[in-house]
């Protein structure tokens, strides 16, 4: 089958690097689906009259200067049987989905975030706000859920939530290719670097929530803090949020997908701070998986996905500032770190490896497609009668 993974989440430059969610939920799965016989292309959301959605090169969005489907392009991957859409928030999104279905395309929505419960401190709350952006916002995205042929969700929480909108929902957990990460050496001894990978514009309150505990451990044990994902116009934002001296912090900017594994290298102990809210409760355990495949033991906030991961033997859960201090202090011991990082890697490699979970992607897509074709045939028979 010819499958198009189409997203609006691309960098605003000619190279068209995918955003984080497009990389994890589209680029990486597409590569592995091609390995098992599907013809899959990832791109921007294009359109051909009489045919439906097509995949176009990401830079076409820059040329188009709008957020609707792109109808003028130099090249496309067309004749798609199945289309998986991500972050399609235009006011005409439902109209195009209904039309594509009438052309015979199967339309699937992939969801990795709980847009109904975006916290106000998250930059996406502003950029997808219906009042500020009437033509392109999260409400238009939510309106696509009922009209799609099916939905693929990344977590149990989202799977249950999506059933409110659509009867055909499948869960495919985030998974990774271990070969894209470097299993780092830990030579820090009793002076490990505690680190976090994330962007402050989306995660200020999350880091604030653990600031006191982090500051206590870092200063009591004279440890360094590393932040991968710094903003060049405010490189010490994380240090200021935690309340530590700038000299105690090191930082890297973000990285393109092919170099993403590098930004974990300075970290000996990882943290996954998540404020207690519905948006974070819906989040996947992706950051923990990335730490594990990089050979980094970690402590995470108390959410469903991280509790489930901890039940499998991966990572530590902190429910309070005292828990954060307790777990971080224990991981200062190099022997404990070594034991946990080896264990974490083994379990994640066995259970969240895309070389195996690509078959779950294939199964979910094929089942939605078969159900859609069956429904279309039934509707045709009713019309004929």
């Amino acid at each position: 089958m010819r499958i198009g993974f189409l997203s609006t989440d691309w960098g605003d430059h000619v190279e068209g690097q995918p955003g984080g969610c497009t990389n994890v939920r589209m680029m990486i799965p597409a590569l592995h689906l091609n390995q098992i016989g599907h013809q899959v292309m990832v791109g921007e959301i294009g359109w051909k009259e009489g045919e439906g959605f097509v995949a176009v090169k990401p830079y076409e969005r820059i040329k188009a200067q709008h957020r609707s489907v792109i109808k003028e392009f130099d090249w496309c991957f067309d004749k798609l049987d199945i289309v998986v859409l991500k972050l399609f928030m235009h006011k005409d999104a439902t109209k195009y989905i209904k039309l594509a279905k009438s052309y015979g395309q199967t339309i699937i929505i992939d969801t990795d975030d709980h847009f109904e419960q975006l916290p106000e401190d998250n930059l996406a709350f502003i950029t997808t706000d219906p009042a500020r952006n009437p033509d392109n916002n999260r409400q238009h995205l939510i309106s696509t859920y009922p009209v799609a042929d099916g939905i693929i969700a990344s977590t149990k929480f989202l799977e249950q939530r999506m059933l409110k909108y659509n009867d055909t929902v499948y869960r495919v957990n985030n998974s990774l290719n271990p070969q894209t990460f470097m299993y780092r050496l830990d030579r820090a001894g009793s002076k490990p670097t505690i680190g976090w990978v994330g962007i402050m514009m989306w995660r200020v309150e999350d880091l604030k929530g653990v600031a006191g505990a982090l500051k206590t451990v870092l200063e009591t044990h004279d440890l360094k803090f590393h932040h991968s994902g710094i903003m060049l116009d405010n490189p010490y934002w994380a240090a200021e949020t935690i309340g530590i001296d700038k000299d105690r912090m090191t930082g890297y900017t973000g990285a393109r997908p092919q170099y993403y594994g590098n930004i974990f290298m300075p970290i000996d102990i990882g943290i996954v701070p998540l404020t207690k809210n519905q948006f974070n409760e819906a989040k996947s355990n992706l950051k923990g998986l990335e730490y594990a495949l990089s050979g980094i033991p970690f402590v995470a906030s108390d959410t469903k996905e991280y509790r489930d991961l901890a039940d499998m033997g991966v990572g530590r859960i902190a429910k309070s500032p005292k828990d954060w201090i307790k777990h971080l202090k224990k991981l200062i011991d190099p022997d404990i770190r070594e034991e946990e990082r080896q264990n974490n890697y083994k379990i994640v490699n066995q259970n969240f490896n895309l070389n195996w979970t690509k078959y779950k992607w294939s199964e979910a897509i094929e089942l939605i497609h078969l159900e859609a074709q069956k429904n279309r045939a039934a509707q045709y028979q009713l019309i004929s009668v």
Side-chain angles (χ1 to χ4, degrees):
M1 292 182 292
R2 290 172 68 87
I3 304 170
F5 278 74
L6 310 184
S7 172
T8 61
D9 176 38
W10 302 89
D12 291 329
H13 43 72
V14 175
E15 292 178 343
Q17 294 291 326
C21 62
T22 294
N23 188 52
V24 172
R25 297 296 294 179
M26 293 196 152
M27 294 291 289
I28 300 174
L31 175 65
H32 288 74
L33 285 168
N34 276 318
Q35 295 172 354
I36 55 175
H38 297 294
Q39 289 180 282
V40 189
M41 179 63 70
V42 185
E44 260 285 2
I45 303 174
W47 183 264
K48 269 189 176 182
E49 292 297 339
E51 185 175 313
F53 291 109
V54 297
V56 301
K57 294 178 180 179
Y59 69 73
E60 298 288 359
R61 176 69 62 196
I62 301 174
K63 292 163 59 179
Q65 295 294 306
H66 62 73
R67 306 305 297 178
S68 185
V69 295
I70 299 168
K71 297 182 178 180
E72 296 180 6
F73 39 80
D74 299 329
W75 174 94
C76 75
F77 183 73
D78 57 6
K79 298 180 176 60
L80 299 175
D81 303 301
I82 301 169
V83 176
V84 182
L85 294 171
K86 189 153 197 68
L87 300 176
F88 191 23
M89 299 189 182
H90 193 262
K91 63 181 180 180
D92 295 327
T94 56
K95 180 189 78 173
Y96 281 110
I97 289 173
K98 290 176 182 178
L99 192 54
K101 289 170 63 176
S102 74
Y103 294 154
Q105 288 185 323
T106 295
I107 307 300
I108 301 171
I109 302 295
D110 178 74
T111 181
D112 192 34
D113 278 313
H114 189 17
F115 277 94
E116 294 165 286
Q117 294 292 330
L118 267 172
E120 293 187 18
D121 65 287
N122 190 311
L123 180 62
F125 180 86
I126 297 172
T127 59
T128 67
D129 180 18
R132 293 180 175 92
N133 303 286
D135 290 345
N136 200 76
N137 61 64
R138 57 182 175 268
Q139 196 55 51
H140 297 318
L141 171 67
I142 293 167
S143 70
T144 67
Y145 298 160
V147 299
D149 289 302
I151 298 174
I152 297 178
S154 63
T155 67
K156 294 177 182 177
F157 183 104
L158 288 172
E159 178 186 21
Q160 291 303 309
R161 189 67 184 177
M162 290 303 106
L163 287 169
K164 165 186 171 184
Y165 298 102
N166 199 305
D167 293 334
T168 308
V169 180
Y170 291 90
R171 174 165 49 92
V172 181
N173 296 97
N174 280 329
S175 300
L176 297 164
N177 183 349
Q179 293 180 341
T180 61
F181 291 84
M182 291 175 282
Y183 188 78
R184 58 187 298 284
L185 297 175
D186 183 342
R187 295 174 175 169
S190 59
K191 288 291 182 181
T193 294
I194 299 174
W196 174 62
V197 177
I199 306 296
M200 289 294 290
M201 290 188 298
W202 289 277
R203 294 291 170 193
V204 177
E205 293 302 315
D206 291 339
L207 198 58
K208 279 183 181 178
V210 299
L214 260 180
K215 179 181 170 68
T216 297
V217 175
L218 291 168
E219 294 183 345
T220 301
H221 298 275
D222 192 25
L223 303 178
K224 291 278 190 180
F225 178 78
H226 178 84
H227 175 206
S228 282
I230 65 168
M231 309 299 293
L232 291 177
D233 59 348
N234 192 2
Y236 296 104
W237 194 354
E240 293 165 1
T241 301
I242 298 168
I244 58 174
D245 190 85
K246 294 178 181 178
D247 293 338
R248 196 175 291 281
M249 183 189 135
T250 60
Y252 284 173
T253 59
R256 297 176 181 182
Q258 62 265 45
Y259 305 118
Y260 183 64
N262 294 344
I263 67 178
F264 292 86
M265 297 305 287
I267 301 172
D268 300 300
I269 301 170
I271 62 169
V272 189
L274 296 167
T275 306
K276 201 71 173 177
N277 58 47
Q278 289 292 290
F279 180 77
N280 283 340
E281 192 64 29
K283 296 292 287 184
S284 77
N285 54 24
L286 179 63
K287 194 61 59 190
L289 304 184
E290 294 171 345
Y291 284 138
L293 292 177
S294 301
I296 302 170
F298 66 91
V299 184
S301 294
D302 180 31
T303 66
K304 171 63 174 172
E305 292 293 310
Y306 280 101
R307 287 195 299 273
D308 288 348
L309 196 59
D311 288 343
M312 295 174 68
V314 178
R316 292 167 172 260
I317 298 296
K319 299 181 179 180
S320 67
K322 287 184 178 180
D323 283 349
W324 278 98
I325 293 171
K326 176 185 69 176
H327 289 309
L328 291 172
K329 285 176 67 175
K330 284 187 177 181
L331 288 173
I332 292 174
D333 186 325
D335 293 331
I336 292 177
R337 289 203 307 278
E338 185 61 31
E339 179 182 355
E340 291 195 16
R341 74 197 205 100
Q342 288 186 22
N343 180 69
N344 291 353
Y345 182 91
K346 180 180 179 181
I347 294 172
V348 169
N349 185 41
Q350 290 174 341
N351 294 277
F352 298 92
N353 188 326
L354 252 171
N355 287 305
W356 312 121
T357 57
K358 61 188 175 188
Y359 297 103
K360 293 184 179 180
W361 273 103
S362 181
E363 179 183 43
I365 290 170
E366 290 180 29
L367 287 173
I368 294 173
H369 181 57
L370 288 172
E371 184 69 17
Q373 296 304 303
K374 184 174 71 175
N375 290 340
R376 304 249 205 294
Q379 290 171 3
Y380 179 78
Q381 286 179 346
L382 285 173
I383 293 172
S384 300
V385 171

